[in-house]
Amino acid sequence: MIRVFYFSPTGGTWQVAQHLGDRLGALLDAEVEYHSYTLPRERETLPQVEAGDVVVWATPVYAGRIPNKTLDYVRRALRADGNPAVALVTFGNRAYDNALAELVGLMEEGGMRPVGAAAMVTRHVFSDTLGAGRPNEEDLAELDRFAAQVAEKLSTINSQLSIIDVPGEAHPERYYTPLKTNNAPAGFLKAKPSCNSGLCTRCGECQEICPMGSIGEQDGLPAFDGICIKCQACRRHCPTGAIAFTDPEYLSHVAMIERTFAAPNQAEFFVAETIK
Ligand SMILES: Cc1cc2nc3c(=O)[nH]c(=O)nc-3n(C[C@H](O)[C@H](O)[C@H](O)COP(=O)(O)O)c2cc1C
Ligand code: SF4
Ligand code: SF4
């Protein structure tokens, strides 16, 4: 069984994780099960990894690392007994910094054997231009080649494999500091979305899909009262475009990354070496 675990507030990570899972399933002639840990209720019912399972763990990159508010959960959930595993991170064309090293490190600490690791460019949820159209055909063809290499390694899994050498630190001390257009740090940690009551149809969709369970209700309208990780799920899912982030520090950061990181970045892939 291939078990694909993924966190994907706006669907980019899910798209890539599903492509990789389906491909590995076909190559290994194995059943594939997908387990989202995006929503609070999903995090209560995640299955245990069993003997013989291959694990794919997929997460978006937030501020150069695994999203801060999911980190404790990932640390607890990534437990196995020598199962082979594939680490997958998605990033919005800026950089994945320490995220892949952090995920591979947590896999090793949780008793998994990382066989492959990949960083894929996806749309940056803050922007309509950054990473737009990614993954494209070329990215997916590269992901297919990676899946073939991983499948080949898995067929010789009893051989000794090297530690995968991915860039970055497994135990970074800090997160990437978002900057504004004037290069000063952008302080939008406390920013929250707002709702235009004239556009809101009170459908309740945003309340359902918030990964932090942070959207309540007041007089039929969404109330953003809990922790906000800026994942953009509410804004992107709202059918009428009623939700916006208007915080000036946030908007200045978005303008900065759109200007600085417009050139297409590349996906990167790493596969363990067979030692003997
Ligand atoms: C809070 C936050 C921080 C992010 N930080 C980075 C980053 O450091 N580097 C980068 O390239 N993309 C960054 N992104 C973009 C996401 O990694 C990218 O859009 C990802 O595909 C989102 O995954 P999803 O579509 O599964 O929600 C960030 C997105 C959010 C919401
Ligand atoms: S998803 Fe949009 S329209 Fe529906 S309740 Fe939320 S803000 Fe209103
Ligand atoms: S309120 Fe914040 S955490 Fe919740 S869906 Fe919206 S952006 Fe994400």
Side-chain angles (χ1 to χ4, degrees):
M1 165 83 74
I2 299 170
R3 292 195 185 277
V4 181
F5 296 88
Y6 64 95
F7 181 74
S8 187
T10 69
T13 310
W14 160 237
Q15 184 196 352
V16 176
Q18 189 186 30
H19 188 97
L20 179 59
D22 286 358
R23 196 74 189 177
L24 282 175
L27 287 162
L28 297 166
D29 196 19
E31 213 182 311
V32 189
E33 277 198 6
Y34 292 94
H35 310 288
S36 169
Y37 64 99
T38 309
L39 298 178
R41 67 178 144 77
E42 293 171 331
R43 294 194 282 277
E44 286 167 15
T45 55
L46 229 52
Q48 292 283 320
V49 173
E50 289 170 14
D53 288 346
V54 175
V55 174
V56 176
W57 197 281
T59 175
V61 175
Y62 282 9
R65 293 182 56 182
I66 293 175
N68 172 282
K69 295 290 180 218
T70 68
L71 193 53
D72 281 347
Y73 176 78
V74 174
R75 192 175 280 125
R76 279 198 311 276
L78 264 176
R79 296 268 158 226
D81 191 12
N83 296 64
V86 180
L88 174 63
V89 300
T90 62
F91 67 106
N93 202 61
R94 186 191 68 79
Y96 61 91
D97 296 338
N98 294 309
L100 199 57
E102 191 170 36
L103 183 56
V104 168
L106 287 178
M107 285 178 158
E108 285 166 351
E109 287 159 28
M112 296 185 183
R113 287 204 291 159
V115 176
M120 292 285 290
V121 178
T122 40
R123 172 188 69 177
H124 199 306
V125 283
F126 287 177
S127 163
D128 287 332
T129 58
L130 219 54
R134 307 291 293 276
N136 54 27
E137 264 180 44
E138 206 178 305
D139 295 323
L140 294 177
E142 283 190 78
L143 189 59
D144 288 347
R145 280 194 287 279
F146 169 72
Q149 287 176 305
V150 167
E152 203 236 301
K153 281 297 155 198
L154 289 170
S155 64
T156 59
I157 195 67
N158 290 328
S159 327
Q160 206 180 331
L161 295 177
S162 67
I163 302 281
I164 316 182
D165 194 12
V166 299
E169 295 170 41
H171 299 282
E173 281 182 16
R174 281 188 263 282
Y175 290 82
Y176 160 75
T177 305
L179 301 176
K180 296 189 279 192
T181 46
N182 64 2
N183 275 336
F188 58 88
L189 220 60
K190 299 225 162 107
K192 289 189 181 180
S194 56
C195 169
N196 179 333
S197 58
L199 292 176
C200 177
T201 59
R202 295 156 168 82
C203 69
E205 174 72 11
C206 53
Q207 289 147 8
E208 292 292 314
I209 49 77
C210 174
M212 294 294 107
S214 289
I215 309 182
E217 187 233 290
Q218 198 172 14
D219 304 326
L221 290 170
F224 301 95
D225 25 49
I227 290 169
C228 175
I229 58 171
K230 269 57 88 181
C231 72
Q232 311 295 310
C234 54
R235 182 170 76 85
R236 296 271 178 194
H237 280 92
C238 174
T240 63
I243 297 181
F245 273 82
T246 53
D247 181 276
E249 301 270 315
Y250 166 83
L251 293 176
S252 179
H253 174 60
V254 177
M256 186 286 283
I257 51 176
E258 285 181 342
R259 192 178 68 190
T260 315
F261 301 103
N265 210 332
Q266 283 186 340
E268 290 186 35
F269 303 92
F270 308 88
V271 181
E273 297 293 330
T274 307
I275 294 174
K276 58 179 182 182

